[in-house]
């Protein structure tokens, strides 16, 4: 069983269903409202755990009802929550998701306790990191903390996976040299490289630029089209599964969590792991909400389209 540790965000999502984004000054009636667990880190952890990875989490919640709700949800998913601490100074993170009739979303985030994760939390969690095959992080928590976590992970032979989302223009170059696998979407890739991703040629150029910045391997996800992967010795494009999309929330997070559950520690099976992750993502977008839509291993394998990597 693959062992995955996530350093990341924990949010409670409020999903507001609307026909389209309102124009400035316009009032629109909602067609629905739901509350569900979210946060990029928590989504990725649940995706990994439901795909049968042994999963642990490093994070922070508030001493509030949302914090209790999320701790209960993560524990129910079989995730080790020993390294999730409770803050008395900030509320649990929240996201407000505007979901239109086409299944596309716009998201507003209040980071809350996610911004309170400190280097000291990494020091406390060293045993949890060292016990993992993979350490995953994204950009909804402080970058200084992620840098410290990746430094330690590399020192003990743990493979690092970075999801550079939400996109940031200012990035410590050392972080990329400590990253074994980076997984941006096309927008995040362009932010990091300045290369607009439009086709496989531009994907190759962007991935090459990231390799030159020090990462060992790259996967660029391009939504309903699929995902492009590249290392120093191989590259390829894995097409997405064609489905009717209801809600794209957590599709990228599901991809990363599911991917990590299938990857070899040396990243030698990227092609088959990406195909598995594409399948998991295709199931997520067919349901409403972030964590409620993330599939279990049995669902991913149910129709025989794929096998475990």
């Amino acid at each position: 069983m693959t062992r995955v540790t996530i350093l990341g965000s924990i949010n409670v999502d409020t999903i507001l269903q609307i026909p389209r984004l309102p124009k400035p000054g316009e009032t629109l009636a909602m067609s629905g409202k739901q509350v569900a667990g979210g946060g990029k880190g928590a989504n990725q952890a649940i995706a990994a755990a439901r795909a049968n990875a042994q999963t642990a989490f490093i994070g922070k919640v508030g001493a509030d009802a949302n914090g209790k709700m999320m701790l209960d949800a993560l524990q129910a998913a079989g995730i080790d929550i020993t390294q999730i601490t409770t803050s008395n100074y900030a509320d649990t993170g929240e996201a407000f998701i505007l979901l239109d009739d086409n299944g596309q979303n716009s998201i507003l985030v209040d980071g809350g306790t996610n911004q309170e994760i400190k280097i000291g939390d990494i020091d406390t969690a060293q045993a949890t990191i060292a016990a993992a095959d993979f350490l995953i992080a994204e950009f909804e928590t402080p970058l200084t903390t992620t840098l410290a976590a990746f430094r330690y992970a590399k020192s003990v032979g743990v493979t690092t996976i970075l999801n550079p989302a939400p996109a940031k223009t200012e990035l410590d170059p050392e972080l990329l040299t400590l990253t074994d696998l980076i997984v941006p979407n096309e927008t995040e890739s362009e932010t990091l490289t300045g290369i607009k991703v439009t086709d496989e040629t531009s994907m190759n150029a962007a991935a090459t630029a990231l390799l030159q910045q020090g990462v060992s391997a790259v996967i660029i996800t391009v939504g309903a089209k699929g995902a492009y992967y590249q290392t120093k010795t191989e590259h390829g494009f894995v097409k997405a599964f064609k489905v009717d999309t209801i809600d794209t929330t957590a599709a990228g997070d599901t991809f990363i969590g599911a991917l990590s559950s299938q990857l070899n520690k040396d990243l030698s099976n990227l092609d088959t792991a990406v195909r598995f992750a594409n399948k998991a993502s295709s199931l997520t977008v067919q349901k409403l909400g972030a964590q409620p839509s993330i599939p279990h291993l049995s669902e991913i394998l149910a129709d025989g389209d794929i096998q475990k990597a």
Side-chain angles (χ1 to χ4, degrees):
M1 181 182 288
T2 303
R3 298 164 299 172
V4 178
T5 293
I6 312 277
L7 164 63
S9 56
I10 300 171
N11 292 333
V12 170
D13 293 348
T14 300
I15 305 158
L16 308 176
Q17 294 172 261
I18 54 178
R20 55 174 172 77
L21 289 179
K23 298 174 183 177
E26 181 183 18
T27 299
L28 282 180
M30 297 187 303
S31 59
K33 174 184 174 181
Q34 292 195 11
V35 176
K40 295 191 73 62
N43 294 343
Q44 291 166 10
I46 285 182
R50 288 182 182 170
N52 209 33
Q54 183 178 318
T55 308
F57 200 95
I58 304 167
K60 201 174 289 278
V61 295
D64 50 29
N66 282 344
K68 183 179 186 308
M69 167 187 161
M70 291 308 301
L71 288 174
D72 289 346
L74 292 168
Q75 195 165 30
I79 295 165
D80 178 356
I81 62 170
T82 306
Q83 299 303 325
I84 301 177
T85 56
T86 300
S87 168
N88 293 313
Y89 302 102
D91 293 334
T92 302
E94 291 188 87
F96 300 88
I97 301 170
L98 305 178
L99 177 65
D100 70 22
D101 285 347
N102 294 316
Q104 295 302 311
N105 60 53
S106 299
I107 304 176
L108 307 172
V109 177
D110 174 15
T113 50
N114 296 315
Q115 297 306 310
E116 289 197 359
I117 305 172
K118 307 298 184 185
I119 293 174
D121 295 307
I122 302 305
D123 295 338
T124 303
Q126 283 186 351
T128 299
I129 295 171
D133 297 309
F134 299 101
L135 174 66
I136 303 174
E138 17 70 25
F139 285 171
E140 287 187 335
T141 53
L143 290 182
T144 52
T145 306
T146 299
L147 187 59
F150 273 33
R151 282 175 182 154
Y152 179 73
K154 294 298 290 181
S155 76
V156 292
V158 175
T159 301
T160 55
I161 300 175
L162 179 65
N163 173 215
K168 290 185 181 292
T169 53
E170 298 295 326
L171 194 62
D172 189 325
E174 184 187 357
L175 184 59
L176 294 185
T177 68
L178 295 169
T179 298
D180 291 305
L181 173 63
I182 191 167
V183 190
N185 64 20
E186 61 265 57
T187 302
E188 294 145 8
S189 174
E190 182 177 356
T191 298
L192 291 170
T193 67
I195 298 170
K196 187 175 181 61
V197 170
T198 57
D199 54 19
E200 194 163 334
T201 298
S202 56
M203 292 176 205
N204 179 278
T208 299
L210 288 167
L211 291 173
Q212 290 171 344
Q213 291 181 59
V215 303
S216 300
V218 180
I219 298 172
I220 300 174
T221 59
V222 285
K225 296 177 183 176
Y228 175 86
Y229 67 90
Q230 186 169 324
T231 69
K232 293 178 174 65
T233 59
E234 64 175 340
H235 64 88
F237 187 84
V238 183
K239 290 183 178 180
F241 292 83
K242 300 301 180 185
V243 297
D244 293 327
T245 298
I246 293 175
D247 180 7
T248 58
T249 306
D253 298 331
T254 298
F255 180 95
I256 291 169
L259 178 87
S260 70
S261 77
Q262 303 300 302
L263 271 178
N264 294 337
K265 197 173 185 308
D266 62 0
L267 309 179
S268 59
N269 65 332
L270 278 175
D271 184 273
T272 52
V274 167
R275 182 171 168 80
F276 180 94
N278 277 349
K279 180 63 176 183
S281 239
S282 75
L283 295 170
T284 294
V285 301
Q286 296 179 72
K287 296 180 181 178
L288 187 65
Q291 290 169 18
S293 69
I294 296 171
H296 292 78
L297 180 62
S298 58
E299 298 172 88
I300 299 170
L301 301 177
D303 59 12
D305 280 345
I306 60 167
Q307 298 179 345
K308 290 182 67 176

